[in-house]
Amino acid sequence: MAKQQLISLESDPRILAAAERLSMTRREFLQFCAALATTLGLPQGADAAVAEAVATKQRPSVIWLHFQECTGCTESMLRAEHPTLEKLILDVISLDYHETLFAAAGHQVEAARKSAMEQHKGKYILVVEGAIPTRDGGIYCKIGGKTAIELLKECAADAAAVIAIGSCASWGGMPSTDPNPTGASSVGQVLGKPVVTIPGCPPNPYNFLSTVVHFLTFGALPAVDHLGRPKFAYSRLIHENCERRAHFDAGRFAMEFGDEGHRKGHCLYKLGCKGPETYANCSVIMFGDAGAGTWPVACGHPCIGCTEQGIGFAKPIHALSKMKNIEPSAFLPRIVEEKGIGASLGAAAVLAAVAGAAAGAGVMVTKNLGLSHQAEELEKAKKDGSKASESTEV
Ligand code: SF4
């Protein structure tokens, strides 16, 4: 069924037009959409819906605000090592207001923001980068004569969805570290309601793109956890999918930077790696663009827990991580295979790897997606209780 849908989409002129816009072949475009669907943990067949949405739906207007931050989130989005990603982000959204990217300045830019807000009232997506200073009436960050608090509330009032991008907007990040002289707060705290958060310093552009594509395809944001983080990206610990995990399990650790264990690629836990207490998919899609399909932990730098409030920028880099759970690594073969819970591990992994390679993202984007999602599906099935009875010992 899904295959038939993809084949008919291949001959759809709108798909060809979208692929040309992105300097891809039709096949590469469809494969990339399939990878996005896999990243989002969508069921089989959803790749066609994603492709159709990206190719044909009206791009949602995006108002992007900047407050207390370093602009690293924007840098990460637009200077992704893979040009396809940057192109796709700018292709699936209509970026109608972005202070640091606009060539214009002053009243012209403020007029552009107001006009976009009026034109797309109730339909635009508000993306907020940076924390909001709340001390002394919020005077520590003013844009166009308004405090960040005023601007945020004004723009959020008529937004269809609010996304806090990066750790600063998600939970205060670096500006909120002790003693927090400006009273830096998160978007959710200032608005007094939960928002979707995509923490990370910087955040992973692929997670932002997937969130927006979900909105584009289904008219709703993806399911989130209690901190507003999309579950497809933040439901597993980095430690669960880390390539050094076998060394952790075997008790082989680097004890000092540059020692024999470090050079041999042993586990970085004793150098302060925060992977065991940090929820993010960096180890799944190898985020960090450290080059040659690798990521910072693979290069020998311990995870600093930048996605987690109370860990990133709060816990000393050398301090030992708390073990949040002691489940076996997702890399280990399962003793009990469970049936009837959607796409198989092999199918998901192969699809993801092919699509990632086609789009230039290669192994970095998708190497372990199948493992990660299947583990989640198994947990879901166990909770339901219904499908668990279909288990078969092998
Ligand atoms: S402690 Fe860090 S380096 Fe070691 S396996 Fe866990 S995430 Fe990987």
Side-chain angles (χ1 to χ4, degrees), residues 237-240 248 267 269 272-279 303 311 320-325:
L237 290 165
I238 284 179
H239 185 63
E240 287 177 52
F248 175 91
C267 172
Y269 178 76
C273 181
K274 304 298 186 293
E277 55 185 340
T278 300
Y279 287 90
C303 162
I311 298 173
L320 287 187
S321 185
K322 268 192 193 150
M323 299 306 298
K324 281 235 169 122
N325 76 39

PDB file of all heavy atoms in Angstrom, residues 237-240 248 267 269 272-279 303 311 320-325:
ATOM      1  N   LEU A 237      17.511   8.019  26.628  1.00  0.00           N
ATOM      2  CA  LEU A 237      18.761   8.595  27.133  1.00  0.00           C
ATOM      3  C   LEU A 237      19.863   8.448  26.085  1.00  0.00           C
ATOM      4  O   LEU A 237      19.908   7.441  25.364  1.00  0.00           O
ATOM      5  CB  LEU A 237      19.200   7.852  28.406  1.00  0.00           C
ATOM      6  CG  LEU A 237      18.345   8.079  29.658  1.00  0.00           C
ATOM      7  CD1 LEU A 237      18.669   7.025  30.703  1.00  0.00           C
ATOM      8  CD2 LEU A 237      18.563   9.477  30.228  1.00  0.00           C
ATOM      9  N   ILE A 238      20.745   9.419  26.037  1.00  0.00           N
ATOM     10  CA  ILE A 238      21.886   9.330  25.116  1.00  0.00           C
ATOM     11  C   ILE A 238      22.670   8.042  25.385  1.00  0.00           C
ATOM     12  O   ILE A 238      23.105   7.345  24.472  1.00  0.00           O
ATOM     13  CB  ILE A 238      22.773  10.580  25.287  1.00  0.00           C
ATOM     14  CG1 ILE A 238      22.088  11.759  24.590  1.00  0.00           C
ATOM     15  CG2 ILE A 238      24.186  10.350  24.748  1.00  0.00           C
ATOM     16  CD1 ILE A 238      22.805  13.058  24.673  1.00  0.00           C
ATOM     17  N   HIS A 239      22.805   7.711  26.639  1.00  0.00           N
ATOM     18  CA  HIS A 239      23.545   6.520  27.080  1.00  0.00           C
ATOM     19  C   HIS A 239      22.982   5.216  26.496  1.00  0.00           C
ATOM     20  O   HIS A 239      23.711   4.267  26.274  1.00  0.00           O
ATOM     21  CB  HIS A 239      23.441   6.499  28.606  1.00  0.00           C
ATOM     22  CG  HIS A 239      24.213   5.441  29.294  1.00  0.00           C
ATOM     23  ND1 HIS A 239      25.580   5.355  29.248  1.00  0.00           N
ATOM     24  CD2 HIS A 239      23.799   4.425  30.113  1.00  0.00           C
ATOM     25  CE1 HIS A 239      25.983   4.335  29.996  1.00  0.00           C
ATOM     26  NE2 HIS A 239      24.926   3.751  30.521  1.00  0.00           N
ATOM     27  N   GLU A 240      21.664   5.202  26.238  1.00  0.00           N
ATOM     28  CA  GLU A 240      21.039   3.957  25.760  1.00  0.00           C
ATOM     29  C   GLU A 240      21.476   3.602  24.349  1.00  0.00           C
ATOM     30  O   GLU A 240      21.438   2.443  23.967  1.00  0.00           O
ATOM     31  CB  GLU A 240      19.509   4.082  25.794  1.00  0.00           C
ATOM     32  CG  GLU A 240      18.942   4.048  27.188  1.00  0.00           C
ATOM     33  CD  GLU A 240      17.439   4.251  27.164  1.00  0.00           C
ATOM     34  OE1 GLU A 240      16.741   3.544  26.431  1.00  0.00           O
ATOM     35  OE2 GLU A 240      16.961   5.146  27.892  1.00  0.00           O
ATOM     36  N   PHE A 248      31.186   0.767  28.496  1.00  0.00           N
ATOM     37  CA  PHE A 248      30.608   1.052  29.818  1.00  0.00           C
ATOM     38  C   PHE A 248      30.192  -0.260  30.471  1.00  0.00           C
ATOM     39  O   PHE A 248      30.514  -0.521  31.632  1.00  0.00           O
ATOM     40  CB  PHE A 248      29.391   1.981  29.656  1.00  0.00           C
ATOM     41  CG  PHE A 248      28.652   2.243  30.944  1.00  0.00           C
ATOM     42  CD1 PHE A 248      28.991   3.321  31.751  1.00  0.00           C
ATOM     43  CD2 PHE A 248      27.623   1.400  31.355  1.00  0.00           C
ATOM     44  CE1 PHE A 248      28.330   3.558  32.948  1.00  0.00           C
ATOM     45  CE2 PHE A 248      26.947   1.626  32.546  1.00  0.00           C
ATOM     46  CZ  PHE A 248      27.298   2.708  33.335  1.00  0.00           C
ATOM     47  N   CYS A 267      34.612   4.150  27.324  1.00  0.00           N
ATOM     48  CA  CYS A 267      33.507   4.987  27.816  1.00  0.00           C
ATOM     49  C   CYS A 267      34.040   6.222  28.556  1.00  0.00           C
ATOM     50  O   CYS A 267      35.043   6.171  29.268  1.00  0.00           O
ATOM     51  CB  CYS A 267      32.649   4.146  28.754  1.00  0.00           C
ATOM     52  SG  CYS A 267      31.406   5.099  29.609  1.00  0.00           S
ATOM     53  N   TYR A 269      32.368   7.958  30.862  1.00  0.00           N
ATOM     54  CA  TYR A 269      31.604   8.195  32.092  1.00  0.00           C
ATOM     55  C   TYR A 269      32.475   8.826  33.181  1.00  0.00           C
ATOM     56  O   TYR A 269      32.073   9.778  33.846  1.00  0.00           O
ATOM     57  CB  TYR A 269      31.007   6.864  32.588  1.00  0.00           C
ATOM     58  CG  TYR A 269      30.254   7.006  33.878  1.00  0.00           C
ATOM     59  CD1 TYR A 269      28.982   7.576  33.912  1.00  0.00           C
ATOM     60  CD2 TYR A 269      30.819   6.574  35.080  1.00  0.00           C
ATOM     61  CE1 TYR A 269      28.301   7.733  35.100  1.00  0.00           C
ATOM     62  CE2 TYR A 269      30.137   6.719  36.279  1.00  0.00           C
ATOM     63  CZ  TYR A 269      28.877   7.300  36.275  1.00  0.00           C
ATOM     64  OH  TYR A 269      28.198   7.456  37.460  1.00  0.00           O
ATOM     65  N   GLY A 272      33.121  12.459  33.223  1.00  0.00           N
ATOM     66  CA  GLY A 272      31.982  13.344  33.476  1.00  0.00           C
ATOM     67  C   GLY A 272      30.899  13.298  32.425  1.00  0.00           C
ATOM     68  O   GLY A 272      30.042  14.195  32.387  1.00  0.00           O
ATOM     69  N   CYS A 273      30.898  12.287  31.569  1.00  0.00           N
ATOM     70  CA  CYS A 273      29.872  12.226  30.522  1.00  0.00           C
ATOM     71  C   CYS A 273      28.468  12.195  31.148  1.00  0.00           C
ATOM     72  O   CYS A 273      28.196  11.402  32.050  1.00  0.00           O
ATOM     73  CB  CYS A 273      30.078  10.989  29.651  1.00  0.00           C
ATOM     74  SG  CYS A 273      28.860  10.897  28.330  1.00  0.00           S
ATOM     75  N   LYS A 274      27.580  13.068  30.648  1.00  0.00           N
ATOM     76  CA  LYS A 274      26.230  13.164  31.221  1.00  0.00           C
ATOM     77  C   LYS A 274      25.207  12.364  30.403  1.00  0.00           C
ATOM     78  O   LYS A 274      23.999  12.508  30.616  1.00  0.00           O
ATOM     79  CB  LYS A 274      25.786  14.641  31.276  1.00  0.00           C
ATOM     80  CG  LYS A 274      26.748  15.562  32.035  1.00  0.00           C
ATOM     81  CD  LYS A 274      26.899  15.183  33.500  1.00  0.00           C
ATOM     82  CE  LYS A 274      27.724  16.182  34.284  1.00  0.00           C
ATOM     83  NZ  LYS A 274      29.156  16.236  33.909  1.00  0.00           N
ATOM     84  N   GLY A 275      25.709  11.533  29.491  1.00  0.00           N
ATOM     85  CA  GLY A 275      24.797  10.712  28.680  1.00  0.00           C
ATOM     86  C   GLY A 275      23.822   9.880  29.498  1.00  0.00           C
ATOM     87  O   GLY A 275      22.661   9.741  29.115  1.00  0.00           O
ATOM     88  N   PRO A 276      24.237   9.343  30.675  1.00  0.00           N
ATOM     89  CA  PRO A 276      23.294   8.509  31.437  1.00  0.00           C
ATOM     90  C   PRO A 276      22.156   9.286  32.078  1.00  0.00           C
ATOM     91  O   PRO A 276      21.248   8.687  32.634  1.00  0.00           O
ATOM     92  CB  PRO A 276      24.193   7.876  32.520  1.00  0.00           C
ATOM     93  CG  PRO A 276      25.567   7.909  31.946  1.00  0.00           C
ATOM     94  CD  PRO A 276      25.631   9.180  31.150  1.00  0.00           C
ATOM     95  N   GLU A 277      22.193  10.614  32.078  1.00  0.00           N
ATOM     96  CA  GLU A 277      21.071  11.357  32.668  1.00  0.00           C
ATOM     97  C   GLU A 277      20.526  12.414  31.696  1.00  0.00           C
ATOM     98  O   GLU A 277      19.868  13.366  32.113  1.00  0.00           O
ATOM     99  CB  GLU A 277      21.479  12.003  34.002  1.00  0.00           C
ATOM    100  CG  GLU A 277      22.696  12.893  33.943  1.00  0.00           C
ATOM    101  CD  GLU A 277      23.118  13.415  35.321  1.00  0.00           C
ATOM    102  OE1 GLU A 277      22.297  13.420  36.250  1.00  0.00           O
ATOM    103  OE2 GLU A 277      24.285  13.831  35.445  1.00  0.00           O
ATOM    104  N   THR A 278      20.809  12.248  30.417  1.00  0.00           N
ATOM    105  CA  THR A 278      20.380  13.249  29.435  1.00  0.00           C
ATOM    106  C   THR A 278      19.521  12.608  28.356  1.00  0.00           C
ATOM    107  O   THR A 278      19.957  11.681  27.666  1.00  0.00           O
ATOM    108  CB  THR A 278      21.623  13.906  28.792  1.00  0.00           C
ATOM    109  OG1 THR A 278      22.376  14.528  29.825  1.00  0.00           O
ATOM    110  CG2 THR A 278      21.231  14.946  27.765  1.00  0.00           C
ATOM    111  N   TYR A 279      18.300  13.135  28.231  1.00  0.00           N
ATOM    112  CA  TYR A 279      17.388  12.630  27.205  1.00  0.00           C
ATOM    113  C   TYR A 279      17.564  13.448  25.924  1.00  0.00           C
ATOM    114  O   TYR A 279      17.371  14.657  25.916  1.00  0.00           O
ATOM    115  CB  TYR A 279      15.932  12.732  27.678  1.00  0.00           C
ATOM    116  CG  TYR A 279      15.599  11.709  28.734  1.00  0.00           C
ATOM    117  CD1 TYR A 279      15.778  12.002  30.084  1.00  0.00           C
ATOM    118  CD2 TYR A 279      15.136  10.452  28.379  1.00  0.00           C
ATOM    119  CE1 TYR A 279      15.498  11.064  31.057  1.00  0.00           C
ATOM    120  CE2 TYR A 279      14.853   9.499  29.342  1.00  0.00           C
ATOM    121  CZ  TYR A 279      15.023   9.810  30.685  1.00  0.00           C
ATOM    122  OH  TYR A 279      14.747   8.860  31.640  1.00  0.00           O
ATOM    123  N   CYS A 303      29.502  14.032  26.910  1.00  0.00           N
ATOM    124  CA  CYS A 303      28.249  14.792  26.789  1.00  0.00           C
ATOM    125  C   CYS A 303      28.164  15.736  27.992  1.00  0.00           C
ATOM    126  O   CYS A 303      28.474  15.352  29.117  1.00  0.00           O
ATOM    127  CB  CYS A 303      27.091  13.793  26.788  1.00  0.00           C
ATOM    128  SG  CYS A 303      25.484  14.526  27.151  1.00  0.00           S
ATOM    129  N   ILE A 311      21.392  20.115  34.673  1.00  0.00           N
ATOM    130  CA  ILE A 311      22.607  19.362  34.316  1.00  0.00           C
ATOM    131  C   ILE A 311      23.484  20.248  33.429  1.00  0.00           C
ATOM    132  O   ILE A 311      24.569  20.665  33.830  1.00  0.00           O
ATOM    133  CB  ILE A 311      22.245  18.038  33.631  1.00  0.00           C
ATOM    134  CG1 ILE A 311      21.434  17.173  34.602  1.00  0.00           C
ATOM    135  CG2 ILE A 311      23.519  17.295  33.191  1.00  0.00           C
ATOM    136  CD1 ILE A 311      20.876  15.924  34.013  1.00  0.00           C
ATOM    137  N   LEU A 320      30.442  13.281  38.106  1.00  0.00           N
ATOM    138  CA  LEU A 320      29.882  12.023  37.600  1.00  0.00           C
ATOM    139  C   LEU A 320      28.374  12.140  37.409  1.00  0.00           C
ATOM    140  O   LEU A 320      27.678  12.807  38.169  1.00  0.00           O
ATOM    141  CB  LEU A 320      30.174  10.879  38.575  1.00  0.00           C
ATOM    142  CG  LEU A 320      31.622  10.376  38.636  1.00  0.00           C
ATOM    143  CD1 LEU A 320      31.694   9.141  39.519  1.00  0.00           C
ATOM    144  CD2 LEU A 320      32.170  10.064  37.252  1.00  0.00           C
ATOM    145  N   SER A 321      27.912  11.461  36.392  1.00  0.00           N
ATOM    146  CA  SER A 321      26.499  11.466  36.042  1.00  0.00           C
ATOM    147  C   SER A 321      25.721  10.521  36.949  1.00  0.00           C
ATOM    148  O   SER A 321      26.246   9.512  37.400  1.00  0.00           O
ATOM    149  CB  SER A 321      26.439  10.980  34.594  1.00  0.00           C
ATOM    150  OG  SER A 321      25.190  11.041  34.101  1.00  0.00           O
ATOM    151  N   LYS A 322      24.444  10.878  37.192  1.00  0.00           N
ATOM    152  CA  LYS A 322      23.564   9.934  37.901  1.00  0.00           C
ATOM    153  C   LYS A 322      23.065   8.921  36.880  1.00  0.00           C
ATOM    154  O   LYS A 322      22.746   9.295  35.754  1.00  0.00           O
ATOM    155  CB  LYS A 322      22.348  10.683  38.446  1.00  0.00           C
ATOM    156  CG  LYS A 322      22.529  11.174  39.842  1.00  0.00           C
ATOM    157  CD  LYS A 322      21.178  11.619  40.373  1.00  0.00           C
ATOM    158  CE  LYS A 322      21.401  12.401  41.643  1.00  0.00           C
ATOM    159  NZ  LYS A 322      20.391  13.410  41.864  1.00  0.00           N
ATOM    160  N   MET A 323      22.942   7.667  37.293  1.00  0.00           N
ATOM    161  CA  MET A 323      22.415   6.673  36.364  1.00  0.00           C
ATOM    162  C   MET A 323      20.890   6.723  36.443  1.00  0.00           C
ATOM    163  O   MET A 323      20.310   6.337  37.456  1.00  0.00           O
ATOM    164  CB  MET A 323      22.904   5.266  36.747  1.00  0.00           C
ATOM    165  CG  MET A 323      24.414   5.094  36.709  1.00  0.00           C
ATOM    166  SD  MET A 323      25.156   5.569  35.147  1.00  0.00           S
ATOM    167  CE  MET A 323      24.399   4.423  34.028  1.00  0.00           C
ATOM    168  N   LYS A 324      20.248   7.221  35.369  1.00  0.00           N
ATOM    169  CA  LYS A 324      18.789   7.358  35.415  1.00  0.00           C
ATOM    170  C   LYS A 324      18.079   6.017  35.274  1.00  0.00           C
ATOM    171  O   LYS A 324      17.002   5.827  35.778  1.00  0.00           O
ATOM    172  CB  LYS A 324      18.325   8.309  34.313  1.00  0.00           C
ATOM    173  CG  LYS A 324      18.537   9.751  34.702  1.00  0.00           C
ATOM    174  CD  LYS A 324      17.236  10.518  34.606  1.00  0.00           C
ATOM    175  CE  LYS A 324      17.378  11.875  35.235  1.00  0.00           C
ATOM    176  NZ  LYS A 324      17.081  12.946  34.322  1.00  0.00           N
ATOM    177  N   ASN A 325      18.650   5.134  34.512  1.00  0.00           N
ATOM    178  CA  ASN A 325      18.103   3.781  34.508  1.00  0.00           C
ATOM    179  C   ASN A 325      19.226   2.818  34.148  1.00  0.00           C
ATOM    180  O   ASN A 325      20.277   3.220  33.657  1.00  0.00           O
ATOM    181  CB  ASN A 325      16.879   3.643  33.592  1.00  0.00           C
ATOM    182  CG  ASN A 325      17.233   3.602  32.136  1.00  0.00           C
ATOM    183  OD1 ASN A 325      18.230   2.991  31.751  1.00  0.00           O
ATOM    184  ND2 ASN A 325      16.434   4.253  31.300  1.00  0.00           N
TER     185      ASN A 325
END
